[in-house]
Amino acid sequence: MAESKEGLRDAARDLNSGAVHLLRGLRAVDRRAGLTPARLSALSVLVFGGPRSLGRLARDEDVAGPTMTRIVDGLVALGLAVREPHPDSARSVRIRATDDGERLMRCAAEARFDVILDALEALTAADRTALVRAVPALTRLAGQVSGERTSPSWLGGRAPPRR
């Protein structure tokens, strides 16, 4: 069944609202990890994506290099990440999560999963089934959205400012 442009716009609005409320609800769970959102996000990239250069980590997190330097400095000071020589370049370093960083991140992720699981179990069986079936499509949708590097049309197509 083809959706009208208006119907798709309504769905986009509802998806946006649902995503915002879901993420807001998970903020309290994330705070229990004891890290700022920026540090937790960078640590997540290192744990689930593997070691990387500072520049690549900054690009992955969509922040400027100096901002990522401060984030990494904080993770290193807490013993959650280390700088080590880059295996391919004697002049470069890469950042990797420590065992403590990996444990903290995996616990934080599990806490999120538990909250989402509890919420799913509170839904009707029909809603759970619909959400489980929608997960692959939502994942593809997220890939489409994150693949865009320009601003929405209401910003005149200008590139977004770097955080």
Side-chain angles (χ1 to χ4, degrees):
M1 171 175 94
E3 295 288 334
S4 69
K5 185 78 167 181
E6 184 176 321
L8 287 175
R9 179 163 292 285
D10 289 343
R13 189 175 296 111
D14 291 346
L15 276 168
N16 179 70
S17 179
V20 167
H21 285 89
L22 177 63
L23 291 174
R24 279 184 190 153
L26 292 172
R27 278 188 205 153
V29 177
D30 289 347
R31 279 193 292 273
R32 288 187 234 148
L35 297 178
T36 65
R39 286 180 183 171
L40 191 62
S41 183
L43 185 60
S44 177
V45 170
L46 295 172
V47 169
F48 299 113
R52 55 204 59 217
S53 69
L54 186 71
R56 179 167 174 211
L57 185 56
R59 283 190 305 278
D60 290 346
E61 288 293 279
D62 196 25
V63 298
T67 300
M68 185 52 65
T69 296
R70 288 188 297 276
I71 292 168
V72 168
D73 286 348
L75 291 172
V76 168
L78 292 168
L80 302 175
V82 294
R83 289 179 172 91
E84 60 187 15
H86 197 287
D88 300 329
S89 173
R91 296 185 302 175
S92 297
V93 297
R94 71 178 186 173
I95 317 303
R96 77 167 169 79
T98 62
D99 290 344
D100 285 345
E102 185 153 339
R103 268 191 299 279
L104 185 143
M105 187 65 243
R106 291 195 184 280
C107 285
E110 286 298 321
R112 271 183 162 223
F113 303 155
D114 289 345
V115 167
I116 295 169
L117 177 60
D118 289 348
L120 284 168
E121 288 175 339
L123 296 176
T124 65
D127 281 349
R128 278 194 306 274
T129 299
L131 283 168
V132 169
R133 285 185 180 154
V135 168
L138 286 169
T139 301
R140 288 189 300 275
L141 177 64
Q144 288 292 319
V145 170
S146 67
E148 294 197 9
R149 291 292 175 222
T150 59
S151 295
S153 59
W154 52 268
L155 289 178
R158 294 185 308 269
R162 297 207 42 110
R163 293 185 265 155

